[in-house]
Amino acid sequence: MNTFTPPSHIIDEVKNLITYSISNPDIEMTNFNTMHRAIIKKYFEAKNVKINYTEETVEMQIPVGKRQYTNITFECQNLQRFLKSCIRKDQKSLEFYQSLLTHYNVTHAA
């Protein structure tokens, strides 16, 4: 059964999941790390994303040309806010977020 989920609801639930995952680092952190990296990869079209939660740094390779990437590392003063800022509202991103929510079996995040 397909039901229409409003885009604003999908965005809100993804943001709730980000909040939950950062606020509860002991719960399935490896699984949430995969989600965090996927959100960053999607937003920046990056590869080889690594997050250091202790130092609050993000390291990745971002595209600078056709098949060319450059390495960047930066400090996040607030990782949760940074991840939420990577959320886009275009159709392709919404489909990606819906699949994330399905993967994490979220009907309503905490």
Side-chain angles (χ1 to χ4, degrees):
M1 179 168 126
N2 269 338
T3 58
F4 176 74
T5 304
S8 61
H9 182 72
I10 293 170
I11 297 296
D12 289 345
E13 291 303 326
V14 170
K15 287 182 178 182
N16 287 342
L17 186 57
I18 290 170
T19 298
Y20 177 79
S21 66
I22 296 293
S23 300
N24 297 285
D26 298 331
I27 300 174
E28 298 182 50
M29 196 54 191
T30 302
N31 205 7
F32 284 136
N33 178 273
T34 301
M35 178 190 73
H36 298 159
R37 289 182 309 125
I39 289 170
I40 294 169
K41 281 181 179 181
K42 176 83 173 138
Y43 185 80
F44 289 100
E45 297 178 6
K47 62 181 188 178
N48 300 324
V49 175
K50 297 175 186 151
I51 302 171
N52 183 319
Y53 292 91
T54 306
E55 295 181 16
E56 294 187 316
T57 59
V58 176
E59 179 182 330
M60 68 179 117
Q61 293 179 319
I62 59 170
V64 292
K66 191 174 185 174
R67 298 184 190 170
Q68 295 178 331
Y69 288 81
T70 189
N71 296 320
I72 64 167
T73 302
F74 58 92
E75 184 178 337
C76 292
Q77 294 179 356
N78 185 320
L79 185 58
Q80 179 177 312
R81 186 171 37 208
F82 170 71
L83 289 168
K84 288 180 180 182
S85 76
C86 292
I87 303 299
R88 291 185 178 168
K89 296 179 182 174
D90 62 277
Q91 186 60 38
K92 193 170 182 179
S93 295
L94 289 169
E95 291 169 5
F96 171 74
Y97 304 140
Q98 183 62 58
S99 70
L100 276 181
L101 293 173
T102 301
H103 175 76
Y104 287 92
N105 199 21
V106 173
T107 54
H108 180 58

